[in-house]
Amino acid sequence: MARAGTIYLVGAGPGDTDLLTLRAARLIESADVIVHDGLVDQSILDLAPSSAELISVAKRRSKHTMPQEEINQLLISIARSGQDVVRLKGGDPFVFGRGGEEAEAARAAGVSVEIVPGISAANGAAAAAQIALTHRDASSIVSFVAGQCKGLADQDWAGLAGKGRTLVIYMGVKTAPLIAEKLMADGLSPEMPVAVIENGARPSMRVLRASLAGLPDLVEREDVISPSLIVIGEVTARDDALAVLAQEAAI
């Protein structure tokens, strides 16, 4: 009986090849098959050998090239054929990457699966923007939420943002008006500082700033695109972070 392959759920980090883990880089460089998301930077895919088969299962808002159930079955089918498959995801596979669903499907099918963590989009983008998600003088709690999901209006975010807290919102560009309205309705000050990090940790990165009340106008005026993170909290207005960015802009 032929040996079954292994599914490697690999985090590609926020986009910069230098931010890959050694384990991730080695798996990509020796891969036979790579099934990748649309947010994986081309420079990372270029690390794969020329003989590797690259399969894109890119997801965009309201447009999925392949439903999640079919992706699960694709991975299982490749592994059952005897090949190892690298399932490459932006950021970390277990932070809004549906890695948990794919791991569960693999285990249920009796297929070996290994998780290779990556630098999450929040950690990578915030570091590139020099925004400390926690700070002794500003925040001792950080929360991650998805801004693009079913039943967003009904979710309880009360207490996730405010004094001494940082809220990081993934996939929130399209729902920025609803997010701002929701948080202000929960009692968060309209003047709470906000940063939007577009294409974090990539050469095209932009860091845009506003108040919570001004978030929707900022996103529209600056034509913010995905991938972008919204960071809400006093850490986004720290003088040290602002000074560094001002120096970089002057260079």
Side-chain angles (χ1 to χ4, degrees), residues 16-247:
D16 188 337
T17 56
D18 286 344
L19 296 180
L20 287 170
T21 64
L22 289 174
R23 178 64 170 157
R26 289 167 181 160
L27 285 169
I28 295 167
E29 290 169 347
S30 62
D32 294 321
V33 183
I34 296 177
V35 177
H36 64 90
D37 286 345
L39 295 181
V40 176
D41 196 81
Q42 185 60 46
S43 63
I44 292 176
L45 297 177
D46 288 342
L47 297 176
S50 59
S51 59
E53 180 183 5
L54 304 183
I55 303 173
S56 173
V57 291
K59 295 184 178 72
R60 298 296 185 196
R61 185 174 173 86
S62 302
K63 183 180 180 182
H64 291 191
T65 57
M66 186 180 293
Q68 185 61 51
E69 292 74 14
E70 292 184 21
I71 295 174
N72 297 348
Q73 291 307 309
L74 172 65
L75 299 174
I76 292 166
S77 176
I78 294 170
R80 282 178 170 169
S81 75
Q83 292 181 295
D84 292 334
V85 55
V86 173
R87 173 67 172 108
L88 198 55
K89 298 171 173 290
D92 181 274
F94 275 8
V95 180
F96 301 123
R98 297 195 178 184
E101 297 173 44
E102 293 172 1
E104 289 172 356
R107 290 193 295 265
V111 173
S112 177
V113 61
E114 179 182 323
I115 315 303
V116 180
I119 294 176
S120 72
N123 292 113
Q130 301 209 11
I131 295 173
L133 295 180
T134 62
H135 192 290
R136 271 197 314 174
D137 297 329
S139 175
S140 61
I141 298 173
V142 59
S143 301
F144 301 152
V145 299
Q148 177 184 313
C149 56
K150 295 178 180 178
L152 175 62
D154 297 325
Q155 291 190 27
D156 183 5
W157 289 3
L160 294 184
K163 187 171 180 58
R165 298 171 181 263
T166 304
L167 179 61
V168 181
I169 303 173
Y170 287 66
M171 302 169 286
V173 171
K174 298 295 184 181
T175 55
L178 178 58
I179 288 169
E181 180 181 349
K182 180 182 182 67
L183 290 172
M184 288 187 290
D186 284 341
L188 195 60
S189 169
E191 300 305 314
M192 176 63 71
V194 173
V196 178
I197 308 173
E198 179 187 84
N199 286 318
R202 302 185 186 202
S204 57
M205 181 180 78
R206 291 196 297 169
V207 182
L208 307 168
R209 296 172 187 274
S211 65
L212 179 59
L215 175 62
D217 288 341
L218 174 72
V219 168
E220 182 177 2
R221 181 178 69 251
E222 297 292 339
D223 194 24
V224 177
I225 61 172
S226 295
S228 292
L229 285 173
I230 300 172
V231 184
I232 299 174
E234 294 170 349
V235 293
T236 66
R238 296 289 305 173
D239 289 344
D240 47 353
L242 291 174
V244 168
L245 290 170
Q247 290 172 5

